[in-house]
Amino acid sequence: ARPLADPLRFAADAMLGSLARWLRLTGFDVTYEAHIPDERLVREATEQHRVILTRDRKLPEEWQAPAVYLVCADRAQGQLAEVIRHFGLRDSVRLFRRCSLCNTLLEQASDEQVRTRVPPYVRTTLTTYRACPTCERVYWSGTHTSRVRETMRRILGYPPTPAPPPTD
């Protein structure tokens, strides 16, 4: 069996799109494709030394994969709590470090760089942004960030560590 990457990296199957987004929001490297066939998921996860996260009880039986974790919880936040607990990731959570859409590490972005990509009212109140260099999505601190922080406080039992400021 091939060794797993350190820190742990994941590959979420087609049933776990919401979990993949939550894991990315908490700073974990997670690949996800909505319509990936099991054969390709297993091959790519094995090649990239990723733990496969699945709800498909047959996947571990049908495919020889070195690392598969069967997620039991039904809802995304319960799944997130389960994965964090199972893999001992509580102290590794770093919020808002990765793009929730494409998994790329975010970079610091200036007001000038994001001028045309954020709503005008956001630009009147904020000056700090993060941007994805791959898909160009822009992130800023808003009401959604406080909801994510509160959810993570409930899951972890304490306030999560923020991601360090991105470097250019």
Side-chain angles (χ1 to χ4, degrees):
R2 298 175 128 181
L4 292 173
D6 185 29
L8 279 181
R9 299 181 321 157
F10 301 98
D13 78 2
M15 298 179 193
L16 295 173
S18 292
L19 172 60
R21 276 189 304 282
W22 272 101
L23 283 166
R24 289 171 179 172
L25 283 171
T26 55
F28 298 104
D29 183 343
V30 184
T31 58
Y32 169 78
E33 290 181 46
H35 304 290
I36 191 168
D38 286 351
E39 179 182 4
R40 197 169 113 222
L41 172 71
V42 170
R43 181 174 24 89
E44 289 177 4
T46 302
E47 289 169 357
Q48 297 170 18
H49 311 286
R50 294 178 180 274
V51 174
I52 297 171
L53 302 174
T54 185
R55 297 244 326 135
D56 180 355
R57 295 185 186 288
K58 292 182 181 180
L59 190 139
E61 299 166 10
E62 293 175 353
W63 297 95
Q64 293 284 321
V68 179
Y69 178 72
L70 185 63
V71 177
C72 296
D74 293 326
R75 298 183 188 266
Q77 291 177 14
Q79 294 168 349
L80 178 63
E82 178 184 336
V83 169
I84 287 172
R85 187 175 45 255
H86 178 80
F87 290 100
L89 301 173
R90 288 182 77 215
D91 295 334
S92 300
V93 171
R94 299 292 179 271
L95 292 182
F96 313 118
R97 189 169 170 239
R98 291 187 170 274
C99 178
S100 63
L101 293 180
C102 74
N103 197 42
T104 303
L105 288 170
L106 299 175
E107 297 176 350
Q108 193 71 34
S110 69
D111 183 55
E112 189 60 38
Q113 290 171 308
V114 301
R115 177 175 302 268
T116 61
R117 297 186 281 162
V118 298
Y121 71 89
V122 171
R123 289 190 33 247
T124 63
T125 59
L126 297 175
T127 58
T128 304
Y129 306 93
R130 291 178 185 234
C132 177
T134 302
C135 72
E136 299 186 348
R137 182 171 184 171
V138 178
Y139 294 84
W140 61 87
S141 184
T143 56
H144 60 287
T145 55
S146 58
R147 285 193 305 266
V148 169
R149 287 181 201 285
E150 177 55 26
T151 297
M152 292 312 301
R153 188 196 61 70
R154 281 195 320 272
I155 289 172
L156 299 173
Y158 57 87
T161 305
T167 55
D168 292 330

